Amino acid sequence: MKDNQIKFGFWNYLPSDTLDLSIVKTWKDMGCNLPMSFMYDPKDSTHTKEYMLKFLDECQKQGVQCLMFDRRVSFRTLSEIGKEEWLKGVEEAKKDFYGHPAIYGFMVDDEPAMEQEDDYVYAYQVLNKEMPGLHHFGNLHPYFSNIMDPKYGFIHGALQEAEYSTVKH
């Protein structure tokens, strides 16, 4: 079924476990149907998987989908810890959250610097491969060096699934 609904949301940089879950209804009442989730980082003891699952359940109850911001799948984490460890984090995030109907896609992260281009593209491609059927998301600065390079599948600044979205790892 085609979704013709206009998506409206915002960047939510608050850590998980910050606000009461009733905030989701407030977002819905404001017209937000695609906010970014709270930031989730299981290495931070103030973030809990249980809260995030309750948050996702509340989103589903309210008819709101979200862009899931799990630090384990961020290209920035990839840059910090390397592919091998990052792929383990992707697998953990997949086990924890993939398949929840409130998730529209995972947040690849925000505005990579030009020197982070390869990690950004790799992270996006891996998420497409490992968690298909979702609309993973990240946004770019206008100076992203190869923004229109067909090699990366960029069309008007959006990374589309293309033959290059399959990676070997």
Side-chain angles (χ1 to χ4, degrees), residues 7 45 63 87 94 100 161:
K7 303 298 182 194
S45 63
L87 288 169
K94 181 178 176 179
H100 196 291
E161 291 182 49

Side-chain angles (χ1 to χ4, degrees), residues 5-17:
Q5 189 178 43
I6 293 173
K7 303 298 182 194
F8 180 71
F10 56 91
W11 293 157
N12 178 14
Y13 288 107
L14 292 174
S16 69
D17 298 44

Side-chain angles (χ1 to χ4, degrees), residues 124-153:
Y124 196 101
Q125 292 171 334
V126 168
L127 292 181
N128 279 342
K129 181 180 178 202
E130 295 299 321
M131 294 186 252
L134 297 178
H135 305 279
H136 305 296
F137 187 83
N139 64 305
L140 309 173
H141 287 289
Y143 59 74
F144 197 84
S145 66
N146 291 322
I147 198 163
M148 297 303 282
D149 188 334
K151 170 176 133 181
Y152 293 129

Side-chain angles (χ1 to χ4, degrees), residues 32-64:
C32 295
N33 58 6
L34 189 63
M36 185 171 78
S37 75
F38 294 100
M39 293 193 330
Y40 176 68
D41 184 352
K43 292 182 180 179
D44 182 332
S45 63
T46 64
H47 299 218
T48 64
K49 178 180 161 184
E50 293 74 24
Y51 177 88
M52 290 306 292
L53 289 170
K54 288 177 185 176
F55 166 76
L56 292 170
D57 290 345
E58 185 63 23
C59 286
Q60 182 181 10
K61 176 181 165 188
Q62 296 296 331
V64 172

Side-chain angles (χ1 to χ4, degrees), residues 11-27:
W11 293 157
N12 178 14
Y13 288 107
L14 292 174
S16 69
D17 298 44
T18 302
L19 298 175
D20 184 83
L21 295 176
S22 63
I23 194 67
V24 177
K25 182 172 182 337
T26 302
W27 296 344

